[in-house]
Structure formats: C-alpha cells, structure tokens
Amino acid sequence: MLILGATGSIGASTLKVLRNNPEAYDLYGVTGARNVAAMLDICREFSPQYAVMADPASNMALMDALRNEQLSTEVLAGEQAIAELAKAEAVDLVMAAIVGAAGLLPTLAAVEAGKTVLLANKEALVMSGAIFMDAAARSGAQILPVDSEHNAIFQCMPQAIQQALGHCDLQQAGVSKILLTGSGGPFRYHSIDALPVVSPAEACAHPNWSMGQKISVDSATMMNKGLEYIEAKRLFNTQPKQIEVIIHPQSIIHSMVQYCDGSVLAQMGQPDMATPIAHVMAYPQRITSGVEPLDFFSLGELSFIPPDFSRYPCLKLAIDACYDSQTATTCLNAANEIAVAAFLAGRIKFTQIAQVVAACLDGLDYLGSETELSVLLEVDQRARVQASAVVKRICG
C-alpha cells in the first residue's frame, strides 16, 4: 500500500485501519507536505520502504532525522518521485489523500498504471473527471470512493454500478435518485446576518467531524458538499434530476440511494473516516476498522433539512458549475482554494469566499479541449491568479 498524504487526517485514519489489520497490509511508501514530526513517527512505527515530503526543506529534515535514528526508510525527492511511487510495480493499493490540486497528478499516475485507487482527493474528479474516469477505463484501474458520502452511495448501489463507475447507467439499474447528505457545518443555525463576522476558528469547529482547516471551512460554506456533488456526478454518471443534497445535522446517515420501486437504501455509521477507509481497503471483503458500531438506543432524533442557498451560496455555485463545463468546475475549485486560504489568513470575510469564487466564474473565458489535461491545468492556474487579484481588491 502507498499513502499519498499520510500526515493528513485521512492518512491518520488509514494508519488506524492498518494498526487494526497488521498482517493484511504492507506499507510500501508514504508522502506528506511539511509535517516532519508526523512523518518520522510513521516511519518509526511502520517502516515503509520510501517516504517523500513535498516541501524540499522538510524533505531534507526528514532525511537527516531518519539517518540520525538509523531507520531504514529511504527518502526520495520531488514531485516526479511521488508519481513514480504511485506507479511502482510493488504497489497494489494507493490511498489518494493529498488535499487540493496538488493531488491530481500523482493520483492520475496511479490510475494510468492500473492500480486500485482509494480516492479521497476530490480535486481529481472536480478538475479532470472525464479524463480521470476514461483513464481508469483504459488501464483497468479500480476507483473506490473514500469520502464518507460517496462510499455510502457506493455501498448502497447494485454491483453493476459498482463495477462501472464513471460510465454506469443509473436508470437501467433501477436507481431513481442519489440523496447526498451533509451536516450543514457549524453555522447551519446561525443568523445569516451574523455570517460576515465569523472567525476562522469558528468556521473550523466542525460539530461532527475532525478534519483539516481547509476542508472544515469548505464544510462551513458547504462548498465541500458542492465539490462532492460534482464528484458524485463523475462517479455515478448522474443527470441533474438524479441527485439531491439533503442537510442531515447528525451525520449518522452518510448518504442514500432511492430506487424506482420506492425503496431507499441508507448507509449509516459513526462519523469516523476509518469506516469507509476499511471498506475500500478490503473491498469486496470486510475488515475491522477500529470503529464502534452504532448504538441505536442512544442516537436520538434524526433530522433532515433542505439546503438554503442564501446561507450556502458556494453550494449553488458548485451545482451550477457541475452541469456547465469541466473548465467551470476546475475554475471553481481553484478560486475556492485561494479564497479559503485568504479567509484563514484573516484577509477576507467568511461570506466573501463565495464572492471571490463567483467573480472568477463570471470572468471565465478560457475554453479549450476539456479532454486535455494541459488545458485544465492552465484554467486552474489562471483562476488562481484571478482569485488572488479579487482578494487583493477586497483587501483594498
């Protein structure tokens, strides 16, 4: 197994599953960004053959630390090394958990090499969904969704859909609608008038999940659900009427699938990412995840709320972009990354995240072949430049 993004929250949950199944998996390699201490702990505990830090200074620090402790893990350097690890013959499973656009190229390398890819990186589908799924069809790579919502949908689908992701026919399989649930984040009951003054700390205080800062802010704006909407469209080949977002504050039902006969199948569990990770690691078998089962007598009431786009304008922007074009979703993702970083740095207000993204989508004028990765990468870069300019204007 290779873990791309081993020092993040998904990486930590993957390591939790490995600890519970020590005889079943061998950790071949790990990558991280800058957290040298966390990577060193991983190398001490799991002794992977290879490790790479994306930040050059952190990579050198890791190399020195491993040498000082006489640990056997070999440190490689550079983005190309990460891609080469993803393609390595010894690798069977690739956990794709690098956050943001940085995860796209190594994840695509694993797909093109025909690996089983455990997909936790939304941007691979948001930026280049058609390219990504077509590459999997050509190489024979198996894509298994890790996001709790998409994993829930996957588990509730018939085998014919599970085996044809990206090119499936929901109607032919008797599926009438995907019901994509989301918690609504920490501000679901806030006054809309109070949202401009919420702090980054408040936005990152998710009521149900323990996640990194960027994804926590995305949950607060529900851009995260918008990206998941786009991801679901790519994975399950949906039409607009075949997918609906439902706010479910308790995060117990992770998503549902509605069938043409009136049946609705729901996947439920604790809000712990080790559960979907264990599912995809062992699919089609089941292994121990280390997560306690639900106690139905202590759950209390489960509630469901329709999303209010005046509270969650980012969700509406994402849904509209989803059925516009691949360049639109690429632009949306890039602009959002810049806007969220600006909010976390205290440069813009919470409600201005949506304003930055909307301005970039309104200014989107670069259209080329959406089957060319180079075109989409250029759209991504242009959107980042434009978003940075919008942020600068807001800051005065």
Side-chain angles (χ1 to χ4, degrees), residues 267-296:
Q267 190 271 338
M268 307 171 72
Q270 302 281 6
D272 189 320
M273 286 305 300
T275 297
I277 288 169
H279 174 259
V280 294
M281 283 175 62
Y283 177 82
Q285 308 302 319
R286 299 275 179 170
I287 57 173
T288 300
S289 67
V291 179
E292 290 295 317
L294 286 176
D295 177 1
F296 285 92

Side-chain angles (χ1 to χ4, degrees), residues 295-358:
D295 177 1
F296 285 92
F297 298 110
S298 64
L299 281 185
E301 183 177 297
L302 302 182
S303 54
F304 306 91
I305 309 166
D308 177 358
F309 291 137
S310 63
R311 180 183 297 277
Y312 302 115
C314 284
L315 176 60
K316 183 67 164 61
L317 290 171
I319 291 173
D320 289 345
C322 180
Y323 295 104
D324 183 341
S325 65
Q326 183 74 79
T327 51
T329 59
T330 299
C331 174
L332 172 104
N333 177 72
N336 181 64
E337 287 191 15
I338 297 298
V340 170
F343 167 67
L344 287 169
R347 299 181 65 206
I348 64 174
K349 296 177 181 178
F350 179 77
T351 49
Q352 290 172 328
I353 294 172
Q355 294 175 25
V356 172
V357 175

Side-chain angles (χ1 to χ4, degrees), residues 334-395:
N336 181 64
E337 287 191 15
I338 297 298
V340 170
F343 167 67
L344 287 169
R347 299 181 65 206
I348 64 174
K349 296 177 181 178
F350 179 77
T351 49
Q352 290 172 328
I353 294 172
Q355 294 175 25
V356 172
V357 175
C360 292
L361 287 169
D362 289 343
L364 181 62
D365 61 0
Y366 185 75
L367 297 175
S369 171
E370 295 191 340
T371 60
E372 293 293 333
L373 185 59
S374 59
V375 170
L376 297 175
L377 290 174
E378 184 170 349
V379 170
D380 175 87
Q381 289 305 309
R382 289 190 180 202
R384 291 173 191 276
V385 170
Q386 186 178 3
S388 297
V390 175
V391 169
K392 190 173 182 180
R393 283 202 304 273
I394 290 173
C395 294

Side-chain angles (χ1 to χ4, degrees), residues 185-228:
F187 305 135
R188 58 183 173 244
Y189 301 125
H190 258 54
S191 163
I192 293 177
D193 293 339
L195 292 179
V197 297
V198 300
S199 68
E202 289 174 303
C204 290
H206 196 283
N208 301 339
W209 298 91
S210 175
M211 306 180 292
Q213 283 192 316
K214 196 268 181 182
I215 194 170
S216 294
V217 174
D218 281 350
S219 179
T221 64
M222 283 198 79
M223 176 62 88
N224 192 48
K225 202 55 49 183
L227 297 178
E228 289 172 4

